[in-house]
Amino acid sequence: MEDLKTKKAWFEANQARVTTENITKAEADIRRLTSNAKSEGKVDPPKSTTESTSLNGGGEIPAEPTHTPQTLDLPKTVLPSSIIDEKLEAVQEQETVQADD
């Protein structure tokens, strides 16, 4: 338990330092990547948000899924609650027996 308290205290004490280190590292990576891309002339122009490149011809993005047709031919299956209660009790008894073993 003391070990966990020590770890928690260490993480809390070092959280701000580690966060600033990670931010600095990420910003350096971004600068490096953007400078490499600019020097090689590989800067992609921003894509237009009004331009549609979707497969559904400019419809909704993402396309709305088709509806599933309703079927009326299926019989309704209703189990009496007594059968469900019996099966639940049987499962609970099995779990109790297994836990005792």
Side-chain angles (χ1 to χ4, degrees):
M1 191 66 170
E2 288 297 319
D3 190 36
L4 290 176
K5 289 179 183 178
T6 305
K7 284 182 180 180
K8 181 181 177 189
W10 184 87
F11 280 114
E12 288 174 349
N14 291 304
Q15 184 176 11
R17 178 188 56 83
V18 172
T19 301
T20 54
E21 287 175 359
N22 288 339
I23 290 172
T24 305
K25 181 181 175 185
E27 288 173 344
D29 287 344
I30 291 169
R31 280 192 300 274
R32 179 181 52 84
L33 292 172
T34 54
S35 67
N36 284 347
K38 286 180 184 176
S39 66
E40 295 175 6
K42 293 183 180 178
V43 178
D44 294 333
K47 292 185 178 181
S48 170
T49 56
T50 58
E51 210 174 281
S52 174
T53 58
S54 65
L55 297 175
N56 63 352
E60 289 190 23
I61 301 172
E64 183 177 334
T66 57
H67 298 286
T68 306
Q70 182 177 4
T71 57
L72 301 174
D73 302 351
L74 299 175
K76 292 187 178 184
T77 349
V78 179
L79 292 175
S81 62
S82 60
I83 294 174
I84 296 171
D85 290 339
E86 289 173 7
K87 290 192 180 213
L88 181 62
E89 289 173 3
V91 169
Q92 289 173 341
E93 288 175 6
Q94 288 176 354
E95 290 175 351
T96 305
V97 169
Q98 290 175 352
D100 291 339
D101 291 339

